[in-house]
Amino acid sequence: MTVPVAIRKNVESLRAQIRDHNYRYHVLDAPEVPDVEYDRLMHELQALEAEYSELITSDSPTQRVGAAPAASFGTFEHQLPMLSLDNAFNEVELREFHRRVVDRLGIENTEAIDYAAEPKLDGVAVSLLYQNGLLIRGATRGDGSTGEDITHNVRTIGSVPLSLIGKGFPSTLEVRGEVFMPRAGFLAFNAEATRKGEKTFVNPRNAAAGSLRQLDPRLTASRPLDIYVYSVGQVVGGSVPDRHSDVLDQLRLWGLKVCPERKVVEGIDGCLAFYADIGERRDSLAYDIDGVVYKVDRLDYQQRLGFVSRAPRWAIAHKFPAQEELTVVRDIEFQVGRTGAVTPVARLEPVFVGGVTVSNATLHNMDELHRKDVRVGDTVIVRRAGDVIPEVVKVVLGRRPKRTRIVKAPQACPVCGSAVVREDNGAVARCTGGLLCAAQRAEALKHFVSRRAMNIDGLGSKLIEQLVAADLLQNPADLFGLTSGDLVELDRMGAKSAENLLNAIENSKQTTLSRFLYALGIREVGEATAGSIASHYGQLERIMHADEEALQEVADVGPVVASRIRAFFADRHSQEVVRRLIESGVAWTEFEPQADLVNGKLAGKTFVLTGTFAKMSRQEAKDQIQAAGGKVTGSVSKQTDFLVAGDKAGSKLTKAQNLKITVLNEVELEKMLSDQ
Ligand code: IVH
């Protein structure tokens, strides 16, 4: 049966449309149609291909997940070896690299070298071979000369084009890049695996590697993998531009996905500035990177520089401090938090990770401790990423010694000896000592003085612990009764620092209702909730006497939060502390919640602040928004109404723009506030 021409044309048109949408979605990051439209085109194409199977081609968008599971992977010989990179771990090593480049090229002006700088992606290197524009092979790096044939698996990655687009690509074009799993996908995958009681991955790189090496391509297809292409290999029957940066731009035009965070920089100073910039933004990128790569941009220079053994002389990886390290668990102890939660903490053989020396890492809760089966004596992977507290990722079972000690949840609080109860099906252990427990007292005080609460400068954790241990502080109200006589008795406290501290305590007295409420440390009452309650009621007395039903009228307050607030203010001890605080002079401006605040412009509106402001501090902006009935949260989501962006706004701005959230500048915010 011959296929009618109209059908043939329709199939081709559908494929062209789908490819175009794919390109816009994956490579340009700017989809033009909603997902349903894409799905509709795909279904139409599938239906036609089911009816006219002779029309199916290997590069049809329907053919990503076709192959049956393999028994093993075939091997693939790389025509040009896949090299690795030399590393520089500090500025000195980087300067040495640059010096060698300059010397070999015989260039006088050392700043005259352009480097293409790009993130060093933490994934799996792959090679993709396009013959006449069709993807015919995907391979791993292997030992550099021979890799594994993973064609069926790379085909399932949405951002890998099955056929190139545009014009003028070489008849044989091999591109190389990194397959990775974006962090969000990794977290979602692990959460789902935990829920189903299945194996989780330690980090996104392992997840990417594990997913690519599945014998059943359907499994690979179900994993959220992505790719950035970073170089070309074999090129026959055509050519590519003569600068690395232009090559990448050209690859993008042919439909391949390249990392947007790349830049051509001049000389070593340019490299260092790039390193610092990416380093600062590392945690807000959607994917893991472990450094940056600098490549001499001119390909004729690359040619002249050549290779040594397995690495090019024209490129270097400038590594960030490792975020994961191995170390040994010396002990597992229990820490008591502000709300009495008893958290297992691993005491470690000190190890340098994420740029600092780490000797403690959290094990989160008892469930985690059991799930990870961490024992005293074990060798573990510790991770410290950005400002996040260090955590034990997993035990290296192969290194488990014969004798280990299993630690059980304590029956009594390690600090005050009160009974420990189990909540949340046993996951959370909680000390019942309340403010009798010195640990809970100290934690409550640390919270009370913290920057976003009463903001008392110069009163750090160590000092609070000393004051609690010396019985000078029982609760927040005692702070305002401290005298310089009390303070100078303490270790390392001179008359001058005592005076500074007393001044800071004095200055903190003038505050806002919202800060005060937050500072009290009521369970479940975070900053945003405190802000909503404060602006809803305007006066503390009203909050203290509101019943649970009334409290739930406040935006964000549900039954749990309402009952916590009620319980807090019903407690005699809390009432006493609040009374004493006010007697000591802690004060704020009370106000009559105007209909405006409840119904007006900023009520029910959620703001996120980012960047640096010229006139007010971010905190001032926040206080003012809250006083006007608005809510301020820390991260941009669909629930955000306005992003207020100051100078040097970063990823939050990008995210807000993607979500089409209204972006205001400082002046516009001020206007909005004064319009109230
Ligand atoms: S270029 C000859 N660029 O790092 C140049 N590699 O240590 C070879 N990698 O196997 C690679 N991001 O898997 C290059 N932007 C980037 C990279 C990158 C990550 C990986 C790649 C390679 C390894 C070398």
Side-chain angles (χ1 to χ4, degrees):
M1 185 184 74
T2 53
V3 182
V5 178
I7 299 284
R8 245 175 227 287
K9 285 212 164 130
N10 193 11
V11 163
E12 262 153 39
S13 146
L14 285 167
R15 286 182 188 155
Q17 291 179 65
I18 293 171
R19 279 184 197 126
D20 185 51
H21 291 318
N22 254 335
Y23 179 63
R24 288 172 190 277
Y25 180 87
H26 288 291
V27 181
L28 302 183
D29 204 9
E32 197 181 47
V33 295
D35 292 356
V36 285
E37 169 65 1
Y38 180 88
D39 294 344
R40 199 183 60 74
L41 296 170
M42 212 45 174
H43 282 141
E44 201 179 327
L45 178 60
Q46 275 162 346
L48 287 170
E49 288 182 349
E51 197 170 340
Y52 304 96
S53 58
E54 56 270 58
L55 291 185
I56 299 177
T57 57
S58 74
D59 71 325
S60 171
T62 59
Q63 302 301 303
R64 284 199 176 266
V65 200
S72 67
F73 294 112
T75 56
F76 179 79
E77 302 278 324
H78 297 295
Q79 293 298 307
L80 294 175
M82 280 182 85
L83 301 163
S84 69
L85 292 166
D86 275 341
N87 292 320
F89 291 98
N90 52 48
E91 193 178 323
V92 173
E93 290 174 6
L94 180 63
R95 287 187 186 278
E96 283 165 6
F97 159 78
H98 178 60
R99 169 60 41 209
R100 290 193 296 272
V101 168
V102 171
D103 287 351
R104 276 199 174 254
L105 292 174
I107 287 173
E108 303 264 305
N109 175 1
T110 57
E111 287 304 301
I113 301 222
D114 280 347
Y115 287 104
E118 42 198 70
K120 184 168 189 307
L121 308 153
D122 210 358
V124 183
V126 298
S127 148
L128 304 174
L129 187 59
Y130 288 87
Q131 199 78 59
N132 298 320
L134 291 189
L135 174 66
I136 59 159
R137 193 70 65 227
T140 61
R141 173 166 177 265
D143 63 5
S145 341
T146 312
E148 281 175 321
D149 182 342
I150 50 161
T151 310
H152 295 308
N153 290 348
V154 291
R155 287 174 63 91
T156 69
I157 302 172
S159 47
V160 169
L162 297 180
S163 49
L164 299 178
I165 60 171
K167 291 199 205 71
F169 41 76
S171 54
T172 299
L173 175 67
E174 186 208 350
V175 295
R176 290 162 178 188
E178 198 88 349
V179 167
F180 59 94
M181 190 179 282
R183 274 203 282 261
F186 163 75
L187 293 175
F189 176 85
N190 266 0
E192 181 66 9
T194 308
R195 202 182 58 76
K196 293 198 216 146
E198 291 170 2
K199 182 176 162 286
T200 55
F201 286 108
V202 174
N203 56 37
R205 176 166 40 82
N206 288 16
S211 302
L212 258 193
R213 294 201 74 266
Q214 292 293 332
L215 289 167
D216 181 354
R218 276 172 306 184
L219 280 178
T220 310
S222 73
R223 306 282 169 82
L225 296 177
D226 205 341
I227 191 170
Y228 280 138
V229 162
Y230 51 62
S231 70
V232 291
Q234 226 193 336
V235 176
V236 183
S239 61
V240 294
D242 56 11
R243 277 180 175 261
H244 175 78
S245 51
D246 295 335
V247 172
L248 295 193
D249 288 342
Q250 179 61 66
L251 292 179
R252 185 164 188 261
L253 293 174
W254 286 333
L256 294 151
K257 187 165 177 176
V258 294
C259 180
E261 305 290 344
R262 64 206 157 86
K263 196 173 171 192
V264 177
V265 298
E266 262 179 40
I268 215 69
D269 291 341
C271 291
L272 288 170
F274 183 82
Y275 180 83
D277 175 50
I278 293 284
E280 231 169 71
R281 292 189 296 119
R282 181 182 187 187
D283 294 326
S284 58
L285 295 178
Y287 41 86
D288 272 6
I289 62 174
D290 58 351
V292 299
V293 184
Y294 314 116
K295 302 170 184 172
V296 172
D297 200 32
R298 278 176 59 163
L299 299 190
D300 59 334
Y301 283 177
Q302 290 193 2
Q303 283 276 319
R304 277 168 58 190
L305 288 161
F307 304 89
V308 254
S309 64
R310 308 227 52 82
R313 286 204 190 89
W314 42 262
I316 194 145
H318 189 183
K319 301 289 283 270
F320 292 134
Q323 293 185 321
E324 284 182 2
E325 257 301 351
L326 288 181
T327 189
V328 174
V329 177
R330 282 178 174 171
D331 201 356
I332 296 173
E333 292 180 355
F334 291 88
Q335 230 163 36
V336 184
R338 170 162 65 85
T339 59
V342 178
T343 310
V345 181
R347 307 285 179 215
L348 307 167
E349 211 53 70
V351 61
F352 191 73
V353 57
V356 299
T357 300
V358 167
S359 39
N360 303 303
T362 181
L363 285 155
H364 300 292
N365 57 45
M366 290 314 294
D367 268 4
E368 284 277 299
L369 177 63
H370 289 140
R371 198 172 60 75
K372 291 179 178 163
D373 187 22
V374 182
R375 306 179 189 178
V376 177
D378 268 335
T379 294
V380 293
I381 299 178
V382 271
R383 180 174 172 84
R384 179 185 180 272
D387 293 335
V388 185
I389 41 173
E391 60 165 355
V392 172
V393 181
K394 72 170 218 169
V395 173
V396 183
L397 283 177
R399 297 212 191 166
R400 174 164 279 171
K402 282 220 176 64
R403 276 166 197 274
T404 53
R405 182 156 60 82
I406 299 178
V407 174
K408 294 213 184 71
Q411 304 288 311
C413 171
V415 178
C416 72
S418 303
V420 166
V421 293
R422 303 291 288 271
E423 293 175 3
D424 281 350
N425 290 327
V428 179
R430 206 179 289 280
C431 160
T432 52
L435 290 177
L436 288 175
C437 175
Q440 291 192 47
R441 278 205 311 268
E443 293 308 311
L445 281 157
K446 287 178 201 170
H447 172 77
F448 185 81
V449 305
S450 64
R451 203 165 47 83
R452 291 154 189 274
M454 296 298 283
N455 192 19
I456 304 182
D457 243 10
L459 194 46
S461 304
K462 287 264 145 35
L463 199 50
I464 289 189
E465 279 159 22
Q466 278 189 61
L467 289 163
V468 170
D471 246 354
L472 286 167
L473 281 188
Q474 295 284 343
N475 66 54
D478 297 336
L479 272 174
F480 298 94
L482 287 176
T483 62
S484 59
D486 293 335
L487 293 177
V488 290
E489 294 288 302
L490 301 173
D491 270 2
R492 280 176 297 167
M493 175 69 75
K496 184 71 196 150
S497 359
E499 189 190 320
N500 288 345
L501 182 56
L502 289 176
N503 281 337
I505 293 175
E506 186 60 32
N507 290 338
S508 74
K509 284 183 179 171
Q510 190 57 45
T511 183
T512 63
L513 177 55
S514 142
R515 277 170 172 273
F516 180 73
L517 210 51
Y518 171 63
L520 292 176
I522 305 168
R523 270 175 78 185
E524 314 283 344
V525 178
E527 235 185 325
T529 308
S532 305
I533 300 169
S535 48
H536 185 93
Y537 286 99
Q539 299 173 19
L540 183 65
E541 275 295 310
R542 295 189 180 163
I543 302 170
M544 291 180 78
H545 295 117
D547 62 25
E548 289 182 34
E549 204 177 321
L551 283 164
Q552 287 179 58
E553 283 167 20
V554 182
D556 296 343
V557 175
V560 176
V561 181
S563 76
R564 299 273 191 232
I565 297 170
R566 199 58 231 120
F568 181 88
F569 287 116
D571 178 59
R572 288 277 274 289
H573 176 78
S574 313
Q575 290 169 3
E576 169 75 8
V577 170
V578 169
R579 188 186 55 75
R580 281 183 50 212
L581 284 169
I582 294 170
E583 276 174 14
S584 321
V586 173
W588 54 86
T589 315
E590 301 228 306
F591 53 90
E592 198 56 45
Q594 296 143 18
D596 248 17
L597 287 185
V598 185
N599 306 313
K601 246 197 207 158
L602 297 203
K605 297 289 182 220
T606 303
F607 290 72
V608 174
L609 310 177
T610 188
T612 332
F613 297 149
K615 282 198 242 160
M616 43 184 156
S617 72
R618 225 147 75 184
Q619 190 57 52
E620 280 162 357
K622 186 179 207 165
D623 289 344
Q624 287 191 34
I625 292 172
Q626 287 176 341
K631 186 171 134 188
V632 180
T633 63
S635 57
V636 176
S637 74
K638 281 192 203 134
Q639 269 71 50
T640 310
D641 296 294
F642 299 101
L643 179 85
V644 190
D647 223 26
K648 297 219 176 91
S651 59
K652 287 185 189 170
L653 179 57
T654 325
K655 186 156 180 205
Q657 286 163 339
N658 287 340
L659 291 173
K660 307 228 170 358
I661 287 163
T662 310
V663 177
L664 306 174
N665 61 29
E666 191 179 350
V667 178
E668 287 164 328
L669 172 67
E670 278 187 328
K671 177 148 190 328
M672 207 175 205
L673 286 163
S674 61
D675 278 353
Q676 283 293 304

